Amino acid sequence: CWKAYLGRPGTDETRCMALGGVGDALESNRRSEEALPVFEATLDLMRRYWPNNEGGILAIQTNVCTCLGALGRDDETLALRREIYARDSAALGASHERTLINGLNMAASLIALSLLDECKALLRVQLLPAARESLGPDHDVTLTLNQNLAVALTNDPGRTSGDRRQCQSYSGANVFFDHRRRFDTSRDHPAGRGP
């Protein structure tokens, strides 16, 4: 039980991990309002006692973003997502999968706030070229980036005819059909074959 860790000092790593576990349990049960202060307390402990644990701090910040987004606090979510993306870019490079995933999260926040021009520029100039080069055009992250670009293009009232064509190529059935077909192994599995 998490209460067993309450008597431990704040510097105890096990206590911090238990606190994070409580936040994870609350968030996974869609109790974001209760999970947020738990994640914020965990983040405070991480910054105070383990400031060099970049990965741990970024993971907790991502959990805070998830809660903020679920609570409709999109401006705060975007500000934190910008910070996470910038830190990952500096630490891991623009082509690292984790950086691209955090960029994808930032793009989703931009779409939620209707900052479509910024979102399109981020996707077209930074994220998609890096994802295609490092992960390949068929990787889940690359395909999801394409999908987010299609959403941004679709929601933009000032889109051009070129934007519409690009949007159709990303959101059309071909992208998702090819993706689904590529990962459908039921045809090759004995249980997936008919009589």
Side-chain angles (χ1 to χ4, degrees):
C1 180
W2 64 273
K3 291 180 183 180
Y5 301 103
L6 285 178
R8 294 179 183 228
T11 57
D12 185 90
E13 194 171 4
T14 306
R15 178 182 180 192
C16 187
M17 289 173 29
L19 191 58
V22 169
D24 287 337
L26 290 168
E27 179 57 33
S28 67
N29 285 294
R30 293 182 176 87
R31 295 170 65 180
S32 299
E33 195 168 345
E34 295 168 90
L36 181 59
V38 174
F39 285 136
E40 289 172 333
T42 306
L43 184 59
D44 182 52
L45 286 173
M46 292 288 293
R47 286 179 171 155
R48 188 177 323 149
Y49 298 116
W50 301 282
N52 296 326
N53 185 349
E54 273 299 305
I57 290 171
L58 288 172
I60 298 298
Q61 283 181 310
T62 301
N63 292 338
V64 169
C65 282
T66 301
C67 290
L68 290 171
L71 295 171
R73 293 165 58 179
D74 296 329
D75 289 327
E76 294 170 80
T77 303
L78 178 59
L80 194 50
R81 292 223 185 270
R82 285 183 198 279
E83 180 184 336
I84 292 168
Y85 177 69
R87 288 171 71 186
D88 260 358
S89 292
L92 303 171
S95 296
H96 192 278
E97 185 174 1
R98 191 172 86 189
T99 302
L100 293 168
I101 290 170
N102 284 320
L104 173 63
N105 291 335
M106 190 170 96
S109 291
L110 290 166
I111 290 170
L113 289 167
S114 296
L115 299 172
L116 303 176
D117 289 336
E118 185 180 351
C119 180
K120 291 185 298 185
L122 174 70
L123 288 164
R124 286 176 168 161
V125 176
Q126 294 177 17
L127 299 176
L128 277 166
R132 287 181 187 126
E133 183 179 319
S134 65
L135 304 174
D138 297 331
H139 193 276
D140 286 345
V141 172
T142 308
L143 293 171
T144 307
L145 288 166
N146 284 329
Q147 183 181 14
N148 273 12
L149 180 56
V151 169
L153 291 170
T154 300
N155 292 343
D156 185 2
R159 67 183 177 267
T160 65
S161 60
D163 288 342
R164 275 193 290 280
R165 280 191 301 277
Q166 186 177 16
C167 176
Q168 289 169 348
S169 73
Y170 287 147
S171 63
N174 292 340
V175 170
F176 299 110
F177 174 76
D178 288 345
H179 174 63
R180 202 172 47 247
R181 182 175 48 91
R182 206 173 275 110
F183 294 103
D184 180 13
T185 58
S186 63
R187 295 182 312 271
D188 303 324
H189 192 277
R193 292 188 192 132

